[in-house]
Amino acid sequence: MSTPAAARGPGRRPGGPDTRGEILAAARAEFAEKSYAGTTIRAIAVRAGVDPALVHHYFGTKRYLFAACLDIRLDPGEVIARLAAAPATRRGAVMVRIFLEVWSDAARRAPFVALIRSATTEPEAAAVLRQFLEEVMTPAVRPMLDGDGVDLRLQLAISQLIGIAIVRHVVGASPLAHASVEELVGRVGPVVQQYLDGG
């Protein structure tokens, strides 16, 4: 026997073809605004317009939902290809441009914002961010670099970019928040290039 719509509560609806994606979109928005600790399954369900039980049905616990939200839309293969195609002396600028392009897209930025905000207070989120840096980004770029301390140099470069992203998109401080991508590539590219060169 089917459950009457009224029993699901006002504004609630059953699952549909795109329900999973809508829950993910709502969860990413909640995590980005409130961090992992401040987000609840109920709030995500309200935002998505579904019953909380449906969120559990698709994703289980909040931890698994958070992991699903970290579908970070940055393809290491694309990063490798773009860096490999650039002259060695221009890879710093290319790296900055790739990073800024990702952060300039609101949909691609949201998972990063959620991850960084949560990593400051949640050990699990910090572990996810650490894994992304150590097991995804660093191995993707390491083969292109020579010299000593490659992993440290790469993490220094990535840390610089993350710091810029936080001030630009999370804090929203001017003038960095309103600087053009071209200006930032011109100013930050040489700094990142020094890390890549080992100078």
Side-chain angles (χ1 to χ4, degrees):
M1 182 176 179
S2 62
T3 303
R8 295 195 302 268
R12 300 291 188 255
R13 57 178 173 76
D18 197 36
T19 300
R20 187 180 188 279
E22 291 171 359
I23 292 172
L24 272 176
R28 286 188 181 117
E30 288 288 317
F31 285 132
E33 292 174 7
K34 302 173 184 175
S35 83
Y36 179 87
T39 297
T40 65
I41 292 292
R42 181 172 297 278
I44 292 169
V46 168
R47 192 164 193 149
V50 300
D51 192 281
L54 201 56
V55 180
H56 288 292
H57 169 74
Y58 279 107
F59 298 100
T61 66
K62 184 172 76 167
R63 177 187 300 177
Y64 288 115
L65 176 55
F66 183 67
C69 286
L70 297 178
D71 179 19
I72 297 177
R73 302 176 188 184
L74 179 63
D75 181 1
E78 177 189 354
V79 174
I80 293 171
R82 291 179 64 177
L83 287 174
T89 56
R90 292 288 300 161
R91 286 176 179 161
V94 172
M95 191 172 182
V96 174
R97 185 178 297 280
I98 292 171
F99 195 84
L100 291 175
E101 287 175 356
V102 171
W103 278 81
S104 295
D105 183 323
R108 300 175 79 187
R109 180 171 70 239
F112 281 104
V113 174
L115 180 57
I116 289 171
R117 281 184 170 168
S118 298
T120 61
T121 57
E122 300 294 327
E124 290 175 356
V128 171
L129 180 57
R130 183 167 58 251
Q131 181 175 342
F132 176 72
L133 294 177
E134 294 178 353
E135 300 181 21
V136 177
M137 290 305 302
T138 299
V141 183
R142 183 193 295 125
M144 299 181 196
L145 305 183
D146 298 316
D148 297 329
V150 170
D151 287 4
L152 176 60
R153 285 155 43 201
L154 276 174
Q155 288 195 4
L156 286 169
I158 293 169
S159 297
Q160 173 123 15
L161 296 176
I162 290 175
I164 290 171
I166 290 173
V167 175
R168 180 173 169 84
H169 293 288
V170 178
V171 178
S174 295
L176 182 55
H178 300 101
S180 70
V181 169
E182 293 302 323
E183 180 177 5
L184 293 178
V185 169
R187 291 182 180 273
V188 182
V191 179
V192 172
Q193 186 67 45
Q194 288 188 11
Y195 289 130
L196 301 185
D197 289 341

